[in-house]
């Protein structure tokens, strides 16, 4: 990059210097031509005022020969019909008619005429200036050798080459510093990126005087941070999956071990009492149901996370779903002495009926399970600003403050002993969280120990997810 910039800059510099030289040559030549014309016209006017036309033109022109004849300068007096009256260089009688000469024609028409052409007589380029006489019916013409800037090129060329070389060297020095100031931040940023090894390394970028490079630097730093956050998130998800599989294996191993133990006792005829046999069979069935429930919950979480399974949506009458959930939970609530209060107007939501039922069931059943005898549970449903608002509040034991951030984790239990006694899988609130996320909703929890807990869920009545799945 450094060499490419230097090469391009040198090319531009050379082109600029050459163009500048050409412009200087053209302008200088033009100025010299104008100055020479002006001086020659002044000379002609002076000669016109000095000549005594009454004493004869040949005699007067001879007086001017000593003045104008230097360096092949020629003074010519021409009649208005183009006939040469006198000339300081040659005999006028042998000269051609000058009426068609450019400078003479212009002088006859405008009073002053100019021309530059090659003279065959002197074999060199001549500058001609002609003007009307103010004292006689004549055209005065002065001719001088004129080569323009070419005459001075041998003298100016060494100075031009010297200034050219100085300009190139000075520009190279300035360009080298400029290129260094441009490439250094990029090189430093590249070195910093090469140092990135492991999670502990941080990318550092020192701002430069150039906003464009700063944009690259800040964007690279931000990308580095995003990549690090992404890798951290992947690592976090890996740990969550590892913990999930570990917990799932443990949760499945417990009922399988129980089933295997009871089955071996029955298989070996160790138990002969019929009542005990029925009790073992009942326990095997209970463990199988628990294992089936656990597997179903795991599969539901996987489907909600993947969002790949086709889900059937319809208009779900929330009051009907809530009543069905209440009928299912009433026996458990009655057994624990917990009173249920429900309040739901006739509203409908476009969703999957099974998912909405699972959402209500997990929240209400948790409120009943983790309550005191004689406790109460209030379930209210409202429609507000295009959202379905579900509130489930109880006056039970509450959730410790340090556990509020973890209750939606899979298999996390606040009171592990009581949770296992209640027969839960430890996935209920995790399923709730996944369902709420599936519908792009929000969930909040407020709790105080021995005062109770309240869950507030807000789900859009018509979410983008539901609209997409119906197409």
């Amino acid at each position: 990059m450094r060499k490419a910039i230097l090469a391009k800059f040198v090319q531009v510099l050379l082109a600029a210097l050459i163009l500048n030289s050409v412009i200087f040559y053209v302008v200088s030549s033009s100025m010299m031509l104008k100055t020479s014309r002006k001086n020659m016209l002044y000379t002609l006017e002076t000669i016109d005022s000095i000549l005594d036309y009454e004493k004869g033109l040949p005699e007067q022109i001879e007086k001017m020969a000593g003045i104008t004849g230097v360096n092949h300068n020629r003074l010519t007096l021409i009649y208005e019909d183009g006939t040469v009256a006198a000339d300081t260089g040659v005999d006028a009688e042998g000269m051609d008619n000058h009426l068609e000469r450019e400078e003479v024609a212009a002088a006859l028409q405008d009073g002053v005429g100019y021309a530059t052409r090659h003279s065959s007589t002197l074999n060199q380029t001549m500058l001609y200036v002609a003007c009307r006489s103010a004292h006689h019916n004549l055209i005065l013409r002065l001719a001088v050798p004129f080569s323009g800037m070419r005459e001075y090129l041998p003298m100016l060329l060494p100075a031009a080459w010297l200034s050219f070389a100085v300009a190139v060297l000075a520009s190279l020095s300035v360009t080298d510093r400029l290129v260094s100031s441009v490439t250094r931040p990029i090189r430093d940023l590249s070195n910093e990126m090469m140092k990135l090894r492991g999670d502990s390394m941080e990318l550092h970028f020192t701002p430069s005087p150039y906003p464009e490079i700063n944009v690259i630097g800040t964007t690279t730093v931000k990308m580095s941070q995003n990549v690090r956050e992404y890798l951290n998130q992947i690592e976090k998800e890996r740990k969550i999956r590892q913990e999930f599989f570990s917990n799932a294996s443990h949760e499945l191993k417990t009922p399988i071990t129980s089933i295997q133990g009871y089955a071996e006792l029955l298989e070996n005829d160790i138990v002969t009492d019929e009542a005990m046999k029925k009790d073992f069979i009942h326990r095997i069935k209970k463990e199988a149901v628990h294992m089936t429930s656990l597997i179903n919950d795991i599969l539901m979480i996987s489907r909600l996370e993947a969002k790949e399974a086709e889900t059937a949506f319809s208009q779900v009458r929330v009051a009907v779903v809530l009543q069905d959930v209440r009928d299912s939970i009433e026996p458990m609530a009655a057994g624990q002495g917990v009173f249920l209060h429900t309040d739901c107007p006739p509203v409908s939501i476009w969703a999957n009926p099974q998912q909405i039922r699972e959402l209500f069931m997990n929240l209400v059943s948790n409120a009943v399970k983790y309550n005191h005898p004689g406790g109460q549970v209030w379930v209210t449903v409202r429609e507000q600003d295009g959202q379905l608002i579900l509130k489930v509040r109880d006056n039970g034991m509450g959730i410790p403050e340090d556990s509020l951030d973890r209750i939606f984790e899979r298999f996390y239990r606040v009171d592990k002993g009581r949770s296992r006694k209640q027969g839960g899988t430890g996935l209920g609130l995790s399923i709730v969280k996944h369902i709420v996320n599936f519908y792009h909703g929000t969930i909040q929890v407020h709790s105080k120990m021995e005062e109770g807990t309240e869950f507030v869920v807000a789900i859009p009545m018509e979410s983008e997810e539901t609209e997409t799945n119906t197409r």
Side-chain angles (χ1 to χ4, degrees), residues 235-262:
E235 179 64 19
K236 181 179 179 181
E237 292 177 356
R238 185 191 67 79
K239 291 180 179 179
I240 291 175
R241 284 195 298 271
Q242 184 178 1
E243 183 179 354
F244 170 71
F245 287 127
S246 176
N247 291 333
S249 300
H250 177 75
E251 293 291 335
L252 287 171
K253 185 178 180 180
T254 301
I256 289 175
T257 302
S258 299
I259 291 172
Q260 184 179 4
Y262 291 133

Short mmCIF file of all heavy atoms in Angstrom, two decimals, residues 235-262:
data_model
loop_
_atom_site.label_atom_id
_atom_site.label_comp_id
_atom_site.label_asym_id
_atom_site.label_seq_id
_atom_site.Cartn_x
_atom_site.Cartn_y
_atom_site.Cartn_z
N GLU A 235 -20.41 -20.18 24.30
CA GLU A 235 -19.89 -20.92 25.44
C GLU A 235 -20.94 -21.05 26.54
O GLU A 235 -21.08 -22.12 27.16
CB GLU A 235 -18.64 -20.22 25.99
CG GLU A 235 -18.01 -20.89 27.20
CD GLU A 235 -17.48 -22.28 26.90
OE1 GLU A 235 -17.27 -22.60 25.72
OE2 GLU A 235 -17.29 -23.05 27.86
N LYS A 236 -21.70 -19.96 26.75
CA LYS A 236 -22.76 -20.00 27.77
C LYS A 236 -23.84 -21.01 27.38
O LYS A 236 -24.31 -21.80 28.22
CB LYS A 236 -23.36 -18.61 27.93
CG LYS A 236 -24.45 -18.53 28.98
CD LYS A 236 -24.98 -17.11 29.11
CE LYS A 236 -26.09 -17.04 30.15
NZ LYS A 236 -26.65 -15.65 30.26
N GLU A 237 -24.22 -20.98 26.09
CA GLU A 237 -25.23 -21.93 25.63
C GLU A 237 -24.72 -23.37 25.70
O GLU A 237 -25.48 -24.29 25.99
CB GLU A 237 -25.66 -21.58 24.21
CG GLU A 237 -26.43 -20.27 24.11
CD GLU A 237 -26.79 -19.91 22.69
OE1 GLU A 237 -26.36 -20.66 21.77
OE2 GLU A 237 -27.48 -18.89 22.48
N ARG A 238 -23.41 -23.52 25.43
CA ARG A 238 -22.85 -24.87 25.54
C ARG A 238 -22.94 -25.39 26.97
O ARG A 238 -23.30 -26.55 27.21
CB ARG A 238 -21.39 -24.86 25.07
CG ARG A 238 -20.74 -26.24 25.02
CD ARG A 238 -19.24 -26.12 24.82
NE ARG A 238 -18.58 -25.53 25.98
CZ ARG A 238 -18.30 -26.19 27.09
NH1 ARG A 238 -18.62 -27.47 27.22
NH2 ARG A 238 -17.69 -25.58 28.10
N LYS A 239 -22.63 -24.51 27.92
CA LYS A 239 -22.71 -24.91 29.33
C LYS A 239 -24.16 -25.19 29.73
O LYS A 239 -24.42 -26.13 30.50
CB LYS A 239 -22.12 -23.81 30.21
CG LYS A 239 -20.60 -23.67 30.07
CD LYS A 239 -20.08 -22.57 30.98
CE LYS A 239 -18.56 -22.44 30.86
NZ LYS A 239 -18.02 -21.35 31.71
N ILE A 240 -25.08 -24.36 29.19
CA ILE A 240 -26.49 -24.59 29.51
C ILE A 240 -26.95 -25.93 28.96
O ILE A 240 -27.66 -26.69 29.63
CB ILE A 240 -27.35 -23.43 28.94
CG1 ILE A 240 -27.07 -22.14 29.71
CG2 ILE A 240 -28.83 -23.77 29.02
CD1 ILE A 240 -27.77 -20.92 29.15
N ARG A 241 -26.53 -26.22 27.70
CA ARG A 241 -26.92 -27.50 27.12
C ARG A 241 -26.30 -28.66 27.89
O ARG A 241 -26.95 -29.69 28.14
CB ARG A 241 -26.47 -27.55 25.65
CG ARG A 241 -27.34 -26.74 24.71
CD ARG A 241 -27.07 -27.13 23.27
NE ARG A 241 -25.69 -26.86 22.90
CZ ARG A 241 -25.27 -25.71 22.39
NH1 ARG A 241 -26.13 -24.72 22.21
NH2 ARG A 241 -24.01 -25.54 22.07
N GLN A 242 -25.03 -28.48 28.27
CA GLN A 242 -24.38 -29.54 29.03
C GLN A 242 -25.08 -29.77 30.37
O GLN A 242 -25.33 -30.92 30.77
CB GLN A 242 -22.91 -29.18 29.27
CG GLN A 242 -22.10 -30.26 29.97
CD GLN A 242 -20.64 -29.87 30.12
OE1 GLN A 242 -20.24 -28.79 29.72
NE2 GLN A 242 -19.84 -30.75 30.70
N GLU A 243 -25.42 -28.66 31.04
CA GLU A 243 -26.13 -28.77 32.31
C GLU A 243 -27.51 -29.37 32.10
O GLU A 243 -28.00 -30.17 32.91
CB GLU A 243 -26.24 -27.39 32.95
CG GLU A 243 -26.89 -27.39 34.31
CD GLU A 243 -26.95 -26.00 34.92
OE1 GLU A 243 -26.38 -25.08 34.33
OE2 GLU A 243 -27.58 -25.86 35.98
N PHE A 244 -28.15 -28.97 30.98
CA PHE A 244 -29.48 -29.49 30.68
C PHE A 244 -29.45 -31.00 30.48
O PHE A 244 -30.27 -31.75 31.05
CB PHE A 244 -30.03 -28.80 29.43
CG PHE A 244 -31.28 -29.43 28.90
CD1 PHE A 244 -32.48 -29.31 29.57
CD2 PHE A 244 -31.25 -30.17 27.72
CE1 PHE A 244 -33.63 -29.89 29.09
CE2 PHE A 244 -32.41 -30.76 27.23
CZ PHE A 244 -33.60 -30.61 27.91
N PHE A 245 -28.49 -31.48 29.68
CA PHE A 245 -28.40 -32.92 29.44
C PHE A 245 -28.06 -33.67 30.73
O PHE A 245 -28.57 -34.78 30.98
CB PHE A 245 -27.36 -33.21 28.37
CG PHE A 245 -27.79 -32.83 26.99
CD1 PHE A 245 -27.00 -32.01 26.20
CD2 PHE A 245 -29.00 -33.25 26.48
CE1 PHE A 245 -27.39 -31.65 24.93
CE2 PHE A 245 -29.41 -32.89 25.21
CZ PHE A 245 -28.61 -32.08 24.43
N SER A 246 -27.21 -33.04 31.54
CA SER A 246 -26.85 -33.67 32.81
C SER A 246 -28.07 -33.77 33.72
O SER A 246 -28.34 -34.83 34.31
CB SER A 246 -25.74 -32.86 33.49
OG SER A 246 -25.44 -33.41 34.75
N ASN A 247 -28.82 -32.67 33.83
CA ASN A 247 -30.02 -32.67 34.67
C ASN A 247 -31.08 -33.61 34.12
O ASN A 247 -31.76 -34.31 34.87
CB ASN A 247 -30.58 -31.26 34.78
CG ASN A 247 -29.68 -30.33 35.59
OD1 ASN A 247 -28.94 -30.79 36.45
ND2 ASN A 247 -29.73 -29.05 35.31
N ALA A 248 -31.24 -33.56 32.76
CA ALA A 248 -32.25 -34.43 32.15
C ALA A 248 -31.91 -35.89 32.39
O ALA A 248 -32.78 -36.72 32.70
CB ALA A 248 -32.34 -34.15 30.66
N SER A 249 -30.63 -36.24 32.26
CA SER A 249 -30.20 -37.62 32.50
C SER A 249 -30.48 -38.02 33.95
O SER A 249 -30.95 -39.13 34.23
CB SER A 249 -28.71 -37.77 32.20
OG SER A 249 -28.44 -37.45 30.85
N HIS A 250 -30.18 -37.09 34.86
CA HIS A 250 -30.42 -37.37 36.27
C HIS A 250 -31.91 -37.54 36.56
O HIS A 250 -32.32 -38.47 37.28
CB HIS A 250 -29.83 -36.25 37.13
CG HIS A 250 -30.09 -36.43 38.60
ND1 HIS A 250 -29.41 -37.36 39.36
CD2 HIS A 250 -30.96 -35.79 39.44
CE1 HIS A 250 -29.84 -37.30 40.61
NE2 HIS A 250 -30.77 -36.35 40.68
N GLU A 251 -32.72 -36.64 35.99
CA GLU A 251 -34.16 -36.70 36.23
C GLU A 251 -34.76 -37.98 35.63
O GLU A 251 -35.70 -38.54 36.19
CB GLU A 251 -34.84 -35.48 35.63
CG GLU A 251 -34.50 -34.17 36.31
CD GLU A 251 -35.07 -34.09 37.72
OE1 GLU A 251 -36.08 -34.77 38.00
OE2 GLU A 251 -34.52 -33.34 38.55
N LEU A 252 -34.25 -38.41 34.48
CA LEU A 252 -34.77 -39.63 33.86
C LEU A 252 -34.24 -40.88 34.57
O LEU A 252 -34.91 -41.92 34.62
CB LEU A 252 -34.36 -39.68 32.39
CG LEU A 252 -35.10 -38.70 31.46
CD1 LEU A 252 -34.46 -38.70 30.09
CD2 LEU A 252 -36.58 -39.07 31.36
N LYS A 253 -33.03 -40.77 35.11
CA LYS A 253 -32.44 -41.93 35.77
C LYS A 253 -33.19 -42.31 37.03
O LYS A 253 -33.34 -43.51 37.36
CB LYS A 253 -30.98 -41.61 36.10
CG LYS A 253 -30.22 -42.80 36.70
CD LYS A 253 -28.76 -42.43 36.96
CE LYS A 253 -28.00 -43.61 37.55
NZ LYS A 253 -26.59 -43.27 37.82
N THR A 254 -33.71 -41.31 37.74
CA THR A 254 -34.41 -41.59 39.01
C THR A 254 -35.65 -42.46 38.80
O THR A 254 -35.79 -43.51 39.46
CB THR A 254 -34.78 -40.26 39.70
OG1 THR A 254 -33.58 -39.51 39.94
CG2 THR A 254 -35.50 -40.52 41.02
N PRO A 255 -36.58 -42.08 37.91
CA PRO A 255 -37.75 -42.96 37.72
C PRO A 255 -37.38 -44.30 37.07
O PRO A 255 -38.00 -45.32 37.39
CB PRO A 255 -38.67 -42.15 36.80
CG PRO A 255 -37.79 -41.16 36.14
CD PRO A 255 -36.72 -40.86 37.13
N ILE A 256 -36.39 -44.30 36.20
CA ILE A 256 -35.99 -45.56 35.57
C ILE A 256 -35.43 -46.52 36.62
O ILE A 256 -35.71 -47.73 36.61
CB ILE A 256 -34.94 -45.30 34.47
CG1 ILE A 256 -35.60 -44.61 33.27
CG2 ILE A 256 -34.28 -46.60 34.02
CD1 ILE A 256 -34.64 -44.19 32.18
N THR A 257 -34.64 -45.98 37.54
CA THR A 257 -34.08 -46.81 38.62
C THR A 257 -35.20 -47.39 39.48
O THR A 257 -35.18 -48.57 39.87
CB THR A 257 -33.12 -45.98 39.48
OG1 THR A 257 -32.07 -45.47 38.65
CG2 THR A 257 -32.51 -46.84 40.59
N SER A 258 -36.19 -46.55 39.79
CA SER A 258 -37.32 -47.01 40.60
C SER A 258 -38.11 -48.09 39.88
O SER A 258 -38.45 -49.14 40.46
CB SER A 258 -38.25 -45.85 40.94
OG SER A 258 -37.58 -44.87 41.69
N ILE A 259 -38.37 -47.83 38.58
CA ILE A 259 -39.12 -48.82 37.80
C ILE A 259 -38.35 -50.14 37.73
O ILE A 259 -38.93 -51.23 37.89
CB ILE A 259 -39.38 -48.27 36.38
CG1 ILE A 259 -40.38 -47.11 36.45
CG2 ILE A 259 -39.90 -49.36 35.45
CD1 ILE A 259 -40.56 -46.38 35.13
N GLN A 260 -37.05 -50.03 37.49
CA GLN A 260 -36.23 -51.24 37.41
C GLN A 260 -36.24 -52.01 38.73
O GLN A 260 -36.35 -53.24 38.75
CB GLN A 260 -34.81 -50.87 37.01
CG GLN A 260 -33.90 -52.08 36.80
CD GLN A 260 -32.50 -51.65 36.38
OE1 GLN A 260 -32.21 -50.46 36.33
NE2 GLN A 260 -31.65 -52.62 36.09
N GLY A 261 -36.15 -51.28 39.85
CA GLY A 261 -36.12 -51.93 41.17
C GLY A 261 -37.43 -52.63 41.48
O GLY A 261 -37.42 -53.81 41.91
N TYR A 262 -38.54 -51.94 41.27
CA TYR A 262 -39.84 -52.56 41.53
C TYR A 262 -40.08 -53.74 40.59
O TYR A 262 -40.63 -54.78 41.00
CB TYR A 262 -40.96 -51.54 41.37
CG TYR A 262 -40.96 -50.48 42.44
CD1 TYR A 262 -41.07 -49.13 42.12
CD2 TYR A 262 -40.85 -50.83 43.80
CE1 TYR A 262 -41.06 -48.14 43.08
CE2 TYR A 262 -40.85 -49.84 44.79
CZ TYR A 262 -40.95 -48.49 44.42
OH TYR A 262 -40.95 -47.53 45.39
#
